[in-house]
Amino acid sequence: LAPDVVVHAGDLADGFVAARERQVRPLADVHAPLGRAYIPGNHEHFSGAAQWIDHMRALGWSPLLNSHRVVERDGDRLVLAGIDDPTGASAGPGGGPDLPTALDGADPALPVLLLAHQPRQVADAVTAGVDLQVSGHTHGGQIWPFHLLVRTEQPVLAGLSRHGAHTQLYTSRGTGFWGPPLRVFAPSEITVLTLRRA
């Protein structure tokens, strides 16, 4: 697909790196000239997010744990930021999401792409003036009618949605599964997003 940047919005695997490393190994072969960014999801926190963050760094990915960096192509610049999952407030090294810290020092004139594992984190993104949030977590509902339960805590299940005056949210259904190894009316996806100036 030849993307400029590749991002992973969390939930790599259930379990410890020693047991699940083989599942994640193919991510070392994903290439993008402007970088690969990663944030932990709730499932990494359940089994020790610090080890997953270190492992992704060893595979050549840049963990964005309440931090940002600037991506530049042909003179155009974009703030690529990432925040921790809310589960991290009690379970992990990031201490939970901290969007002000993630955006501290960022040029306010530049557009912001935020990685936030859960779609419901978009409320804070709207307040901060984020242009695009990329999330996962929902698996698109994964198994019908499980999506009804997911919708009780998340604003959207999948796809592109608008929030506030100018914030967009893209919620990926992800590529894998949680629990039973199947999906019903929620096909897995690898998404290509093309960003255009407004």
Side-chain angles (χ1 to χ4, degrees), residues 16-194:
F16 298 105
V17 171
R20 300 294 184 201
E21 181 275 334
R22 192 171 57 85
Q23 287 176 256
V24 178
R25 190 179 307 153
L27 292 177
D29 298 326
V30 173
H31 298 286
L34 301 182
R36 301 172 290 176
Y38 159 75
I39 58 168
N42 56 307
H43 286 262
E44 285 92 334
H45 283 294
F46 295 155
S47 49
Q51 65 177 314
W52 283 110
I53 290 165
D54 290 345
H55 186 66
M56 287 298 281
R57 190 176 284 117
L59 294 179
W61 289 67
S62 298
L64 291 176
L65 200 61
N66 298 325
S67 63
H68 77 272
R69 66 187 193 88
V70 176
V71 175
E72 184 171 352
R73 189 190 77 174
D74 300 331
D76 291 320
R77 296 184 303 149
L78 169 75
V79 174
L80 179 59
I83 55 177
D84 194 11
D85 185 71
T87 312
S90 61
D98 187 344
L99 187 51
T101 296
L103 297 178
D104 186 40
D107 184 341
L110 296 180
V112 176
L113 189 162
L114 173 68
L115 303 179
H117 180 63
Q118 298 192 36
R120 67 180 174 169
Q121 294 174 277
V122 75
D124 292 332
V126 168
T127 301
V130 166
D131 298 281
L132 173 63
Q133 175 177 311
V134 174
S135 296
H137 187 62
T138 68
H139 301 235
Q142 187 173 326
I143 304 170
W144 185 91
F146 184 66
H147 69 286
L148 297 172
L149 182 60
V150 175
R151 279 305 305 270
T152 65
E153 71 161 19
Q154 299 297 331
V156 294
L157 288 177
L160 188 64
S161 55
R162 289 193 170 273
H163 303 265
H166 77 271
T167 301
Q168 295 186 79
L169 165 66
Y170 188 84
T171 305
S172 171
R173 293 186 305 262
T175 58
F177 54 85
W178 172 81
L182 61 101
R183 287 174 170 261
V184 178
F185 302 128
S188 60
E189 66 176 287
I190 295 173
T191 310
V192 177
L193 299 173
T194 302

